[in-house]
Amino acid sequence: NAGVMQNPRHLVRRRGQEARLRCSPMKGHSHVYWYRQLPEEGLKFMVYLQKENIIDESGMPKERFSAEFPKEGPSILRIQQVVRGDSAAYFCASSSSERTEAFFGQGTRLTVV
Amino acid sequence: EDQVTQSPEALRLQEGESSSLNCSYTVSGLRGLFWYRQDPGKGPEFLFTLYSAGEEKEKERLKATLTKKESFLHITAPKPEDSATYLCAVQAGTSGSRLTFGEGTQLTVNP
């Protein structure tokens, strides 16, 4: 049973470009979460999705960031017009229900140059 | 606002020297408290979930306990492979499913 799969593991973008981060949840999990870990800071919640629905996006910056979890395929976190401050590790997690433990992927490390 | 504070920030132990990590929390209606381990360059690895005061969970050299205000992660006779950052997170009744994390305790176990 494969774990949470994230790709790419490392992503380098120039300022102003778009970044697309992908996450395939564990088999049987329909709840997906995205967290961001800035250098020397803790993990911060960004967004919670179920299939085709955004349940909680209270941690997502209002501009340039969007997330989706389509009926088919992985969840996507999209960052438009990236800036240096977006450089961070982005982690995806999945769970089988709202109240059970979430399992994390290995993260995508975004570097904006 | 949910808050999680972990102490100490960093801890150095000798192999075999037992100790405890602390996680203090302030939430509105705790649904669950979670402990994770994170190695450098990796994602957090799930360790334990605790749901109510008085609950305890054990796994190998680790034991997690929970009171109404804090949780402890006790490490008995640690080994160098236990070196990692240990993260505590809470899930609150008013915050839906999201986790609020502390900043972690970086544990180093010297041989």
Side-chain angles (χ1 to χ4, degrees):
Chain A
N1 186 10
V4 178
M5 303 301 292
Q6 289 189 248
N7 67 83
R9 291 292 308 278
H10 300 274
L11 182 62
V12 179
R13 284 287 177 266
R14 296 185 188 280
R15 281 177 294 172
Q17 290 185 319
E18 178 179 288
R20 283 189 178 228
L21 288 62
R22 294 175 184 77
C23 169
S24 295
M26 285 180 69
K27 187 176 180 180
H29 286 190
S30 59
H31 301 251
V32 167
Y33 314 83
W34 287 92
Y35 289 81
R36 178 165 65 174
Q37 191 170 39
L38 292 165
E40 307 304 322
E41 291 190 20
L43 281 157
K44 304 292 184 190
F45 168 80
M46 298 181 75
V47 62
Y48 163 39
L49 311 104
Q50 293 181 29
K51 284 285 187 184
E52 300 184 279
N53 286 304
I54 296 174
I55 308 301
D56 179 359
E57 56 181 348
S58 59
M60 193 95 96
K62 294 281 188 283
E63 298 179 354
R64 301 188 297 106
F65 286 72
S66 63
E68 63 176 7
F69 188 17
K71 186 176 180 181
E72 301 290 339
S75 175
I76 306 285
L77 179 67
R78 182 184 178 200
I79 311 172
Q80 295 179 290
Q81 300 174 344
V82 297
V83 300
R84 289 238 170 97
D86 296 331
S87 295
Y90 292 82
F91 291 97
C92 171
S94 72
S95 66
S96 58
S97 75
E98 278 190 358
R99 299 200 62 172
T100 54
E101 59 273 9
F103 294 88
F104 283 78
Q106 298 287 38
T108 292
R109 278 145 188 86
L110 173 66
T111 303
V112 180
V113 298
Chain B
E1 184 180 334
D2 304 332
Q3 287 193 325
V4 179
T5 303
Q6 291 189 246
S7 62
E9 289 185 14
L11 181 63
R12 284 186 176 274
L13 299 173
Q14 288 299 122
E15 185 172 2
E17 180 186 2
S18 301
S19 188
S20 296
L21 313 182
N22 178 263
C23 170
S24 299
Y25 63 90
T26 305
V27 297
S28 296
L30 181 72
R31 292 174 71 178
L33 185 141
F34 302 80
W35 281 98
Y36 287 86
R37 167 194 171 127
Q38 187 174 25
D39 292 295
K42 302 283 184 67
E45 175 189 343
F46 171 74
L47 294 174
F48 302 109
T49 309
L50 301 166
Y51 291 106
S52 56
E55 190 175 359
E56 299 182 352
K57 293 262 179 87
E58 281 189 72
K59 178 181 178 181
E60 296 181 354
R61 296 178 292 282
L62 300 176
K63 179 180 176 180
T65 62
L66 180 65
T67 72
K68 288 187 178 180
K69 293 184 178 181
E70 58 191 350
S71 177
F72 291 94
L73 184 66
H74 307 277
I75 304 177
T76 302
K79 297 183 178 181
E81 54 262 42
D82 294 323
S83 297
T85 296
Y86 289 85
L87 302 171
C88 171
V90 296
Q91 189 181 65
T94 56
S95 306
S97 294
R98 69 175 182 266
L99 297 175
T100 300
F101 280 87
E103 304 235 335
T105 293
Q106 186 174 359
L107 174 67
T108 303
V109 182
N110 296 313

